[in-house]
């Protein structure tokens, strides 16, 4: 008697709205990314107002890659794990070792990023609301809290992130529209960019640009995260492209519109001080 060794499919409970809400976690990192690009990290200088141009380039490159990502993901519509899981399946016929490495190492690479995001979020929470509690404790509490939510299943995660993403999107639209309608945006200032270089000369400019492009690569999760739950999405052939498109629109708001509006409303120096 032969056993059926096929894997049990994931329950499909996500629509394109839930998938988009999950993907907006990548866009919500924009404030940390803008700060790192604008003012730098520790002793490493940032790119100044030219960071806005780098963000625009990064998002455009992500837009260009989005159709290929979507097509690749939908080749294995029953998998979860995004590009890593898809590449793992693609490499499996050629090398089981390479297949396992593609699936594991990609997500292990995100562990430090998640830890850094927790620390940055905890630092803001501690500064604003909990000045007597150590940042490390708040960061660990955030990690434990979100781990517990994830262990409850994708339905509970979706129920949590949809209202959060909705509120975040509303605030982002308001932050973009209100300064424009109130006439507080200096469009000449918003489109004047200056590159901060670590040392004089063209090589210093090139070094600054390349360092900025490395950080801009983190804009990609705004799209890639929309493909991580294909196996849990209802009618993925229809809903996953919708989620990727919606994520692309929101990424444009967070990574292009908001930085330009803020630069025009506050100016390069004031914006740098606020982000710092």
């Amino acid at each position: 008697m032969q056993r059926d060794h096929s894997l049990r499919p994931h329950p499909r409970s996500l629509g394109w709205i839930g998938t988009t809400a999950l993907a907006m976690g990548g866009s919500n990192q924009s404030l940390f990314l803008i700060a790192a690009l604008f003012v730098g990290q520790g002793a490493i200088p940032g790119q100044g107002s030219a960071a806005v141009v780098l963000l625009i380039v990064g998002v455009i490159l992500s837009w260009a890659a989005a159709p290929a990502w979507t097509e690749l993901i939908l080749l294995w519509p029953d998998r979860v794990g995004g590009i890593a899981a898809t590449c793992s399946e693609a490499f499996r016929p050629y090398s089981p070792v390479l297949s396992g490495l593609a699936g594991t190492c990609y997500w292990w690479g995100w562990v430090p990023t998640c830890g850094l995001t927790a620390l940055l979020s905890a630092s803001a929470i501690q500064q604003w609301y909990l000045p007597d509690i150590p940042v490390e404790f708040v960061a660990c509490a955030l990690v434990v809290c979100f781990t517990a939510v994830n262990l409850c299943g994708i339905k509970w995660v979706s129920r949590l992130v949809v209202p959060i993403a909705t509120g975040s999107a509303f605030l982002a639209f308001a932050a973009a529209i209100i300064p424009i309608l109130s006439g507080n945006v200096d469009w000449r200032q918003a489109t004047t960019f200056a590159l901060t270089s670590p040392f004089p000369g063209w090589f210093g400019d090139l070094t600054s640009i390349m360092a900025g492009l490395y950080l801009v690569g983190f804009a990609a999760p705004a799209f890639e995260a929309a493909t991580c739950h294909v196996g849990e999405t209802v009618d993925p052939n229809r809903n996953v492209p919708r989620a990727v498109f919606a994520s692309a629109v929101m990424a444009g708001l967070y990574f292009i519109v908001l930085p330009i509006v803020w630069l025009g409303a506050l100016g390069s120096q004031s914006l740098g001080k606020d982000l710092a």
Side-chain angles (χ1 to χ4, degrees), residues 99-127:
S99 172
L101 288 174
T104 304
C105 294
Y106 177 90
W107 287 110
W108 270 113
W110 278 105
V111 171
T113 304
C114 293
L116 178 61
T117 302
L119 284 171
L120 292 172
S121 302
S123 178
I125 293 172
Q126 189 259 3
Q127 183 178 356

Side-chain angles (χ1 to χ4, degrees), residues 179-202:
I180 295 174
L181 295 181
S182 61
N184 291 325
V185 179
D186 183 344
W187 292 108
R188 184 174 182 178
Q189 181 175 260
T191 54
T192 301
F193 310 110
L195 179 66
T196 302
S197 301
F199 43 85
W202 68 268

Side-chain angles (χ1 to χ4, degrees), residues 27-35 38 49 52 55 168 171-180 184-187 189-193 253-275:
S27 293
N28 287 333
Q29 298 180 48
S30 62
L31 187 59
F32 301 135
L33 180 58
I34 294 170
F38 223 94
S49 58
V52 176
L55 283 170
S168 174
L171 292 175
F173 277 111
I177 293 174
I178 292 175
I180 295 174
N184 291 325
V185 179
D186 183 344
W187 292 108
Q189 181 175 260
T191 54
T192 301
F193 310 110
L253 172 64
Y254 279 94
F255 290 102
I256 297 178
V257 177
L258 284 179
I260 290 176
V261 170
W262 290 346
L263 183 61
L266 299 175
S268 179
Q269 292 184 350
S270 297
L271 180 58
K273 290 179 181 179
D274 288 343
L275 291 173

Side-chain angles (χ1 to χ4, degrees), residues 141-154:
L142 288 174
V143 172
V144 170
C145 177
F146 283 104
T147 300
V149 173
N150 277 276
L151 291 175
C152 291
I154 195 66

Side-chain angles (χ1 to χ4, degrees), residues 51-275:
V52 176
V53 179
L54 293 176
L55 283 170
I56 294 173
V57 171
V59 173
I60 290 175
L61 291 175
S62 297
W63 283 344
W69 284 345
T70 305
E71 183 178 0
L72 183 63
I73 284 293
L74 291 176
L75 291 175
W76 287 276
D78 295 325
R79 289 299 306 268
V80 296
I83 297 296
T86 300
C87 291
S88 178
E89 289 291 341
F91 290 138
R92 192 182 302 278
Y94 306 100
S95 172
V97 174
L98 184 59
S99 172
L101 288 174
T104 304
C105 294
Y106 177 90
W107 287 110
W108 270 113
W110 278 105
V111 171
T113 304
C114 293
L116 178 61
T117 302
L119 284 171
L120 292 172
S121 302
S123 178
I125 293 172
Q126 189 259 3
Q127 183 178 356
W128 295 337
Y129 305 112
L130 304 171
D132 298 327
I133 299 179
V135 172
E136 294 80 2
F137 179 84
V138 178
C140 290
L142 288 174
V143 172
V144 170
C145 177
F146 283 104
T147 300
V149 173
N150 277 276
L151 291 175
C152 291
I154 195 66
K155 280 188 177 181
W156 284 99
V157 174
S158 178
R159 290 170 183 171
L160 176 65
V161 300
V162 167
I164 293 176
T166 302
S168 174
F170 175 79
L171 292 175
F173 277 111
I177 293 174
I178 292 175
I180 295 174
L181 295 181
S182 61
N184 291 325
V185 179
D186 183 344
W187 292 108
R188 184 174 182 178
Q189 181 175 260
T191 54
T192 301
F193 310 110
L195 179 66
T196 302
S197 301
F199 43 85
W202 68 268
F203 190 71
D205 294 341
L206 179 62
T207 301
S208 181
I209 292 172
M210 295 305 295
L213 287 176
Y214 167 76
L215 289 172
V216 164
F218 286 95
F223 298 93
E224 202 264 344
T227 65
C228 289
H229 305 278
V230 177
E232 297 167 311
T233 303
V234 178
D235 193 1
N237 288 319
R238 183 183 67 173
N239 286 324
V240 170
R242 286 181 177 180
V244 172
F245 178 79
S247 301
V249 172
M250 294 308 301
L253 172 64
Y254 279 94
F255 290 102
I256 297 178
V257 177
L258 284 179
I260 290 176
V261 170
W262 290 346
L263 183 61
L266 299 175
S268 179
Q269 292 184 350
S270 297
L271 180 58
K273 290 179 181 179
D274 288 343
L275 291 173

